[in-house]
Amino acid sequence: MLRFIIRRVIVIIPMLLIVVSLTWTLVRLAPGSFYTGEKKLAPAVEKNLREKYGLDKPWYVQYGKVLKNIARFDFGNSLKYEGQSVNQILLRALPVSATLGITAYLIALLVGITMGALAALKPNSWLDYASMTLAMLGISIPNFVLGPLLVLLFSLTLFWFPPALWNGFPSKSLVLPALTLSAIYIAYIARLTRSGMLEVMRSDYIRTARAKGLSETQVVTRHALRGGLLPVVSFSGPALAFLITGTVVVERIFALPGLGNYFINACFNRDEPLIIGIVAFIAISVLVFNLLVDISYAFIDPRIRY
Amino acid sequence: MHSPARVVLPKSEKNRKKILDANPKLNAAVTGKQLVPVGAEDIGVEAVDDYTLRISFSVPAPYFINMMPHQFFRALHQKTIEKFGSAWTDAGNIVTSGAFKLESWKHYDRIVVARDPMNWDARNVKLDRVVFYLLTENATMMSLYKAGELDATYNHTVPSAWLDVIGPLKDFMDAPEAAIDYYNFNTSKGPTADVRVRKAMNMSLDKKALANWRHVKALTAMTPDGIFPGYPQPKGDPFDPEKAKRLLAEAGYRDASGNFDPKKFEASEVELIVNPDANNLPYAEFIQAQWKQNLGVTISIRVMEAKTLSKTMSALEYKGVARTGYAADYMDPYTFLSIFGSTGGANNTGWLDPKYVALLEEANRAVDHQKRYQLLAQAEQLLLDAQPVIPLTVGTTRSLKKPYLKGFYPNPAMLHPWKYAFIERDSSKWDYGMPEMGN
Amino acid sequence: MEENRQQKDQIPDSADLHISAEYAVAERDIAELVTGEVVVGSSLWRDAWRRLLKNKLAVFGMIVVLVLVVASLIGPTIIQKTTGYTYDSIPKDSALLKSFPPFRGPDGRFSLAHPMGTDAAGRDILARVLSGGQISLMVALIATLVSLVIGVSYGAIAGYLGGPLDDLMMRIVDVLYSLPYVIIVIVLLALLPAKTPTAQLAQLFFALGAVSWLTMARIVRGQILSLKNQEFVLAARATGVSTPKIIFRHLIPNALGPVIVYATLTIPTVMLSEAFLSFLGLGVRPPRVSWGSLAAEGAANLAVFPWQLIFPGVTMALMLFSLNFVGDGLRDALDPQARRN
């Protein structure tokens, strides 16, 4: 197990390198530059700009600089927000996205697992139908539709919560974006929990557990829930990594200054250092979360060995 | 004193063409092979004493005084910039001279400015603090306004499509803006290299219908109507689909009997490229429908993200037509006409006529105001005849404000003197409807 | 696995036919003996279909899906024939160039002309919703197929073979996860400029398919990991069943439950991504529309013209809702363990 973890942690380094290199290439391939606007620049001005930002150097020099920056975990200054380092921006935007993402995911886990487990315990009961219909609604309504609908109801009709803006944690302004964001995850988790548990409940070791005379509560909590949660865990890794590193649509609808907002605009602005900084950060999060998922497999399902 | 020199320093922001035209020595330096660092003295700027700035010209440049409100001419604190480098605009560093000072600036969130007690007129500044929210979605802005979180919305915050509902509200304010929407033609290749095709495509558009639909004024020339008093503005070709068909038949797209045949027109060689921001897509769809209705030709729309569009447009890689627009930098027709004075800058049509350039230069040498306007109008007529563009509509600034907010008015240059804005506590004095200007 | 290969190599040539037949029997028996598993065969699909028809919700879902598909396919033509409206017909009369609420004419009185109202350019929303359905359904179908074919085989192979290959394959998925999708799309658009609207649609499918299989691969791998040490797999392996056969005939059928559930979850995600791509310019070419682009447009106008969101939004939700019922029904019908009842 320890060897497995060490191997995976070491693997993160070349992976990061690949992701960053591919991103760097992609940014180079995208048409236009951070200084491209509707007005063409005079050739001399463009030449000067390229010199100032080192874009006139051969590609391997520029690439080398990117690698050096990453090794030191300092991505340099943003091209769009002159005078601000990428690290400063990450530190400012990350708490916003992470707060929103974690709040939404906690809501989703709590509601989703409860709904899914209740449904699985009494399949084909009204409880099952009600919670699965609710879950289906969560999946069927896209978040850019759900968000405005919640705003219409809770901000513009009932005046309970503000319709947008970021006022830190905890605040009323967090409620609507977190709900919007969690809806689809509630649905995913509820369904995955239900199907995972149904599968496990029918399997032999549950039969054995029942035969051993364990109480139904023990069977459910010790065995069924644990085994049934496997798909949820597998799903949680990438989901959490994405939730924490920002969600473009919800951050846009609710005007939140999170990573998603910065990232999408950095792409449109061709703000290379910022793009690479955010991508590296997302990559590390994805890799670390997936590693955590793989480790937790072993704890949840003793049948899996590495 | 520091500002004009900063503009021309190679390390500074993008130089804009008008500035270069206003500063001949600098222009010479930029158009030359190498960009040399230019000092204030090189460009005819000098500080006579602590309170006087003298700017010398090589041509009369009568529009220069109108350029002064532009951000390039704001007074800056030289030592701050030297000390902080590119971080001089950060809230803790920046030194400003206005009625408000920058308190904080959070991207994609808000900019907060607070009354500057050191300002010469601080006693007459009524607001303690102004918070500008940086919102990308109009729908979000509207919700915030409706929920009472905002006191006013800024310039282009009410989409045309909403005007049937929002327009009659007493909170709504609008005014013409010195800005234009137009389409570029690629005059360097394809069917649109033929002036007859360009004229036909322009003539077959009912711009009045477009303008009525968007609740704006139609753009009949390259300069907006009625923004520059006394300017003898020429008019482009009126809406005339029959003439358009005749021109296309002349250009070779005709059947055996010599009439225009839509099937002969190489519709696949002409595309309309647009970026999906703001109202561009509805415009494009409307214009596409017009061409289909009036010519029987289907021009396909290609949506491009903004930077890709800019790149495609400036490299003249587009087929046919590209969306663009222009907002005046200063209050003079020259701000719009100068676009086509060179192939650089915002001229992404490939069209350049030495006669046009000569007329512009002659106009700017003219000291007599009326004479100058006439020369500019001649140049504009020449431009309209060559039709490197399709003028579409005049911009409009639109905003909402709560009745208790006073001293906030729309204006064509979209510069708002916040020091005069205030919140009226006495509800009997509240504005319902557009406030009287200049109170 | 090593063991498995050795056994296979030992099959004597002379008795080939005989031994193969025995294998087929043994494979079935061992599997059934141990867990009650039955290998997917043609009868399974027939049984599944029968069971599916017994599930009322699934039948309801199938009917709704069918109605929406048929309406999207022939609806636009019918509307054009009867009223002349199409998804892109902008009226000539400037008085009609505005958003009318459902069932309201220009005079504000009841009218049958636009049962879903019009958009800001006076276009009939019913015609737009129906022809938007064509694009959305095609997008959903293709991207889900890609996700099923690539995602399931990829995840299953990685999960079953394990070891360094699994590591490598999963790290590739991680890399693809981490790449900035927006930039990929911008580059794709620049490098492959579509000449025709059809080419642009193909590009759209490519872009959507390219990412839709990633989560599926992870989920399948997780399932396979937990299944591969179960007795029936060990038994099959011990009797020398080939690796591809184990993966595709034993493991995948047993992982079908979560696969089907996730496939029905993929569809809304794909429709969302499609709306997002349309916004970037890689989506459908205007004036063509999809449910995603219509709903996105409607959401922006929600505070002023709610019907512009409600009709495309409800249609899309109804479709996804019904698809989920069908997905659930399919899962229950295909569940090998439920077959014994």
Side-chain angles (χ1 to χ4, degrees):
Chain A
M1 189 69 192
L2 193 67
R3 259 185 55 208
F4 165 78
I5 294 174
I6 292 170
R7 204 173 67 218
R8 284 287 294 271
V9 170
I10 291 171
V11 145
I12 286 182
I13 294 163
M15 295 266 308
L16 190 61
L17 210 69
I18 293 169
V19 169
V20 165
S21 307
L22 281 174
T23 307
W24 183 79
T25 319
L26 282 171
V27 177
R28 293 297 155 115
L29 284 175
S33 219
F34 71 97
Y35 55 75
T36 311
E38 287 211 3
K39 287 176 183 164
K40 289 188 286 282
L41 294 178
V45 175
E46 191 176 337
K47 184 166 163 278
N48 256 291
L49 275 167
R50 296 184 70 85
E51 260 168 40
K52 184 186 171 189
Y53 293 99
L55 298 171
D56 55 335
K57 305 240 169 57
W59 69 268
Y60 49 84
V61 176
Q62 299 183 41
Y63 182 60
K65 203 179 132 202
V66 170
L67 293 187
K68 210 170 83 190
N69 281 348
I70 292 196
R72 291 179 300 155
F73 234 83
D74 169 15
F75 301 98
N77 277 13
S78 156
L79 297 173
K80 168 85 178 170
Y81 311 102
E82 268 202 285
Q84 301 208 16
S85 73
V86 171
N87 287 357
Q88 272 175 316
I89 292 175
L90 282 178
L91 278 179
R92 194 172 45 218
L94 180 66
V96 176
S97 295
T99 310
L100 176 64
I102 292 172
T103 313
Y105 207 68
L106 286 179
I107 297 176
L109 279 179
L110 196 74
V111 181
I113 292 179
T114 314
M115 268 167 62
L118 287 179
L121 286 181
K122 292 211 172 81
N124 302 322
S125 67
W126 68 269
L127 198 65
D128 181 17
Y129 288 134
S131 48
M132 283 307 109
T133 310
L134 215 65
M136 277 190 195
L137 266 177
I139 295 171
S140 308
I141 306 179
N143 54 6
F144 63 86
V145 174
L146 182 63
L149 283 175
L150 290 179
V151 167
L152 195 65
L153 180 62
F154 291 110
S155 313
L156 302 181
T157 312
L158 298 170
F159 298 101
W160 286 358
F161 304 108
L165 300 177
W166 179 251
N167 293 317
F169 177 87
S171 72
K172 275 182 166 185
S173 68
L174 191 60
V175 178
L176 294 186
L179 274 182
T180 308
L181 197 53
S182 66
I184 196 153
Y185 291 95
I186 292 178
Y188 277 29
I189 291 171
R191 290 170 60 93
L192 287 171
T193 308
R194 178 180 179 273
S195 69
M197 269 182 69
L198 278 182
E199 213 106 310
V200 173
M201 297 279 273
R202 291 205 201 96
S203 71
D204 303 305
Y205 71 87
I206 294 290
R207 238 175 287 158
T208 318
R210 284 213 180 100
K212 275 199 305 194
L214 286 183
S215 77
E216 194 58 29
T217 327
Q218 278 172 314
V219 171
V220 170
T221 50
R222 258 202 225 159
H223 297 274
L225 199 57
R226 229 166 81 163
L229 283 185
L230 200 62
V232 176
V233 172
S234 156
F235 171 77
S236 293
L240 256 180
F242 271 113
L243 275 173
I244 286 173
T245 52
T247 43
V248 177
V249 175
V250 172
E251 283 180 14
R252 262 181 106 101
I253 293 175
F254 292 97
L256 308 176
L259 268 181
N261 233 334
Y262 272 98
F263 182 59
I264 193 95
N265 286 300
C267 289
F268 288 137
N269 293 327
R270 311 285 193 271
D271 191 344
E272 190 188 296
L274 190 53
I275 294 175
I276 289 186
I278 297 179
V279 165
F281 182 78
I282 293 178
I284 294 175
S285 318
V286 170
L287 296 173
V288 168
F289 275 99
N290 283 342
L291 174 62
L292 291 178
V293 167
D294 285 345
I295 294 171
S296 57
Y297 274 168
F299 287 105
I300 293 180
D301 191 340
R303 287 171 300 178
I304 293 171
R305 259 158 299 163
Y306 290 104
Chain B
M1 176 61 235
H2 191 45
S3 187
R6 251 188 71 76
V7 170
V8 303
L9 283 175
K11 278 190 171 180
S12 75
E13 303 88 347
K14 298 161 219 172
N15 289 302
R16 307 182 80 174
K17 207 184 158 295
K18 288 152 307 300
I19 309 297
L20 302 184
D21 288 338
N23 305 287
K25 267 194 188 169
L26 171 66
N27 200 358
V30 169
T31 45
K33 282 272 176 284
Q34 222 190 338
L35 200 61
V36 286
V38 188
E41 61 284 357
D42 298 327
I43 52 164
V45 182
E46 66 181 302
V48 178
D49 56 49
D50 281 358
Y51 300 99
T52 316
L53 176 71
R54 180 187 291 148
I55 301 175
S56 329
F57 299 104
S58 61
V59 290
Y63 53 89
F64 186 78
I65 197 74
N66 286 328
M67 291 171 77
M68 297 315 285
H70 195 274
Q71 63 260 33
F72 281 127
F73 295 94
R74 301 278 156 85
L76 295 175
H77 190 243
Q78 187 167 359
K79 293 220 168 70
T80 307
I81 296 171
E82 282 162 5
K83 187 173 167 197
F84 296 106
S86 52
W88 68 274
T89 51
D90 282 6
N93 307 342
I94 193 166
V95 175
T96 53
S97 52
F100 296 91
K101 60 180 180 186
L102 182 62
E103 196 172 273
S104 72
W105 177 8
K106 294 177 189 148
H107 310 305
Y108 307 114
D109 188 26
R110 66 196 74 177
I111 291 175
V112 183
V113 298
R115 175 169 45 198
D116 189 345
M118 306 299 283
N119 185 259
W120 66 277
D121 201 20
R123 281 197 310 156
N124 291 321
V125 179
K126 289 161 182 148
L127 293 173
D128 294 327
R129 192 169 270 107
V130 186
V131 184
F132 297 92
Y133 293 100
L134 311 167
L135 306 169
T136 31
E137 305 286 329
N138 280 324
T140 309
M141 177 279 301
M142 194 65 204
S143 305
L144 283 167
Y145 184 82
K146 269 181 138 180
E149 309 261 330
L150 299 178
D151 301 311
T153 73
Y154 218 163
N155 297 320
H156 301 114
T157 42
V158 184
S160 301
W162 297 2
L163 285 186
D164 288 326
V165 177
I166 305 282
L169 295 184
K170 300 224 158 124
D171 303 40
F172 178 71
M173 304 195 292
D174 69 339
E177 180 196 346
I180 56 174
D181 283 298
Y182 64 97
Y183 282 174
N184 280 328
F185 276 121
N186 187 345
T187 65
S188 70
K189 63 175 182 187
T192 50
D194 187 332
V195 66
R196 288 169 298 194
V197 174
R198 301 202 295 266
K199 283 201 158 297
M201 288 180 78
N202 176 56
M203 262 183 243
S204 51
L205 280 187
D206 187 353
K207 291 172 199 169
K208 276 214 185 83
L210 172 69
N212 285 340
W213 176 48
R214 305 313 293 182
H215 301 268
V216 289
K217 277 168 101 177
L219 181 64
T220 52
M222 197 58 205
T223 51
D225 252 32
I227 300 253
F228 310 114
Y231 176 64
Q233 189 195 39
K235 293 275 175 281
D237 295 326
F239 173 55
D240 188 348
E242 290 318 308
K243 195 174 170 201
K245 284 181 193 163
R246 281 202 301 279
L247 279 171
L248 285 171
E250 264 175 53
Y253 308 108
R254 55 177 173 254
D255 56 16
S257 51
N259 292 322
F260 170 62
D261 180 3
K263 285 192 201 79
K264 291 265 165 56
F265 188 76
E266 307 144 272
S268 62
E269 287 308 302
V270 181
E271 268 182 347
L272 168 55
I273 60 168
V274 293
N275 54 325
D277 312 290
N279 286 324
N280 299 340
L281 278 180
Y283 264 81
E285 288 177 334
F286 185 87
I287 287 163
Q288 184 191 43
Q290 285 263 318
W291 279 328
K292 202 169 163 183
Q293 284 166 12
N294 298 329
L295 295 179
V297 171
T298 307
I299 306 289
S300 65
I301 298 171
R302 181 197 287 265
V303 184
M304 282 182 181
E305 160 268 351
K307 291 239 174 191
T308 311
L309 182 93
S310 299
K311 183 85 194 313
T312 313
M313 210 153 61
S314 59
L316 290 175
E317 278 163 359
Y318 63 100
K319 293 197 287 188
V321 193
R323 184 223 75 90
T324 189
Y326 203 88
D329 289 305
Y330 44 94
M331 285 296 148
D332 188 276
Y334 185 65
T335 189
F336 296 106
L337 299 180
S338 64
I339 299 170
F340 299 95
S342 77
T343 51
N347 180 2
N348 295 317
T349 62
W351 179 82
L352 185 70
D353 187 341
K355 265 192 287 178
Y356 179 80
V357 181
L359 275 169
L360 290 187
E361 277 169 6
E362 197 188 334
N364 282 338
R365 279 195 302 273
V367 185
D368 178 58
H369 185 65
Q370 215 40 51
K371 172 98 194 304
R372 178 170 171 274
Y373 263 11
Q374 265 159 20
L375 286 164
L376 287 177
Q378 269 179 43
E380 187 169 1
Q381 184 63 57
L382 192 117
L383 177 81
L384 294 171
D385 289 341
Q387 202 87 56
V389 293
I390 305 179
L392 294 174
T393 52
V394 182
T396 312
T397 157
R398 296 178 180 133
S399 41
L400 293 165
K401 78 167 200 52
K402 301 276 182 186
Y404 53 77
L405 177 66
K406 304 269 255 176
F408 173 63
Y409 314 104
N411 66 67
M414 305 193 300
L415 296 166
H416 296 279
W418 297 105
K419 66 186 268 190
Y420 300 119
F422 64 101
I423 289 170
E424 178 60 66
R425 307 279 166 192
D426 179 357
S427 60
S428 66
K429 291 182 186 161
W430 285 2
D431 290 324
Y432 291 99
M434 256 250 253
E436 298 266 325
M437 305 264 280
N439 271 350
Chain C
M1 220 178 72
E2 225 20 59
E3 202 181 337
N4 176 17
R5 211 170 289 139
Q6 275 163 12
Q7 279 200 13
K8 198 180 175 186
D9 291 343
Q10 283 164 10
I11 299 171
D13 280 342
S14 56
D16 202 79
L17 219 150
H18 174 72
I19 288 181
S20 300
E22 232 181 41
Y23 268 8
V25 174
E27 188 186 323
R28 235 187 119 95
D29 288 351
I30 293 169
E32 253 190 1
L33 202 83
V34 175
T35 55
E37 289 309 324
V38 176
V39 180
V40 187
S42 60
S43 72
L44 185 139
W45 294 105
R46 222 179 308 132
D47 284 358
W49 178 243
R50 213 177 309 130
R51 258 200 310 273
L52 189 64
L53 290 183
K54 275 193 205 146
N55 184 333
K56 284 195 195 92
L57 282 178
V59 171
F60 162 77
M62 283 193 290
I63 291 171
V64 173
V65 170
L66 201 71
V67 166
L68 283 174
V69 169
V70 171
S72 299
L73 288 181
I74 62 170
T77 324
I78 294 177
I79 293 176
Q80 192 178 8
K81 287 267 154 55
T82 51
T83 61
Y85 303 134
T86 59
Y87 65 93
D88 66 342
S89 57
I90 294 179
K92 268 193 155 176
D93 181 356
S94 58
L96 300 178
L97 282 171
K98 54 171 88 167
S99 303
F100 292 113
F103 290 117
R104 284 280 175 278
D107 50 359
R109 309 244 298 270
F110 180 83
S111 146
L112 278 173
H114 303 289
M116 291 188 180
T118 61
D119 74 354
R123 288 175 292 200
D124 183 44
I125 290 181
L126 178 62
R128 282 168 80 73
V129 167
L130 290 180
S131 79
Q134 295 178 354
I135 303 276
S136 287
L137 292 173
M138 202 153 47
V139 163
L141 192 74
I142 293 183
T144 308
L145 277 179
V146 171
S147 148
L148 275 175
V149 172
I150 304 182
V152 171
S153 6
Y154 195 95
I157 292 170
Y160 181 70
L161 296 182
L165 187 72
D166 173 34
D167 259 2
L168 180 72
M169 287 175 83
M170 282 301 115
R171 296 302 79 73
I172 290 175
V173 168
D174 289 347
V175 165
L176 290 176
Y177 257 128
S178 318
L179 284 180
Y181 191 46
V182 184
I183 293 278
I184 298 180
V185 167
I186 289 172
V187 170
L188 202 67
L189 179 67
L191 296 186
L192 313 165
K195 291 249 171 346
T196 61
T198 327
Q200 186 151 5
L201 261 185
Q203 249 184 23
L204 176 64
F205 296 145
F206 185 75
L208 289 169
V211 287
S212 65
W213 60 273
L214 297 174
T215 308
M216 179 67 90
R218 281 200 72 87
I219 285 185
V220 172
R221 175 182 171 267
Q223 286 291 312
I224 300 294
L225 274 185
S226 80
L227 286 173
K228 78 172 186 187
N229 290 325
Q230 283 195 14
E231 292 87 339
F232 73 98
V233 180
L234 296 176
R237 223 193 295 179
T239 49
V241 179
S242 72
T243 305
K245 223 173 171 184
I246 293 182
I247 293 179
F248 289 99
R249 304 202 64 184
H250 293 265
L251 287 172
I252 291 180
N254 276 290
L256 265 181
V259 166
I260 287 172
V261 173
Y262 191 73
T264 58
L265 296 178
T266 307
I267 295 173
T269 327
V270 166
M271 287 189 176
L272 267 175
S273 317
E274 183 272 323
F276 182 61
L277 290 189
S278 295
F279 168 76
L280 286 185
L282 194 73
V284 290
R285 267 194 194 196
R288 279 232 73 124
V289 285
S290 65
W291 286 341
S293 70
L294 278 173
E297 197 185 304
N301 292 326
L302 181 70
V304 188
F305 312 114
W307 63 91
Q308 293 180 5
L309 171 70
I310 288 169
F311 289 109
V314 164
T315 314
M316 190 170 167
L318 190 66
M319 182 71 186
L320 300 175
F321 203 62
S322 318
L323 273 175
N324 279 317
F325 281 129
V326 178
D328 268 11
L330 265 178
R331 199 234 13 239
D332 291 343
L334 279 173
D335 190 337
Q337 269 142 357
R339 266 170 55 104
R340 279 175 304 162
N341 313 338

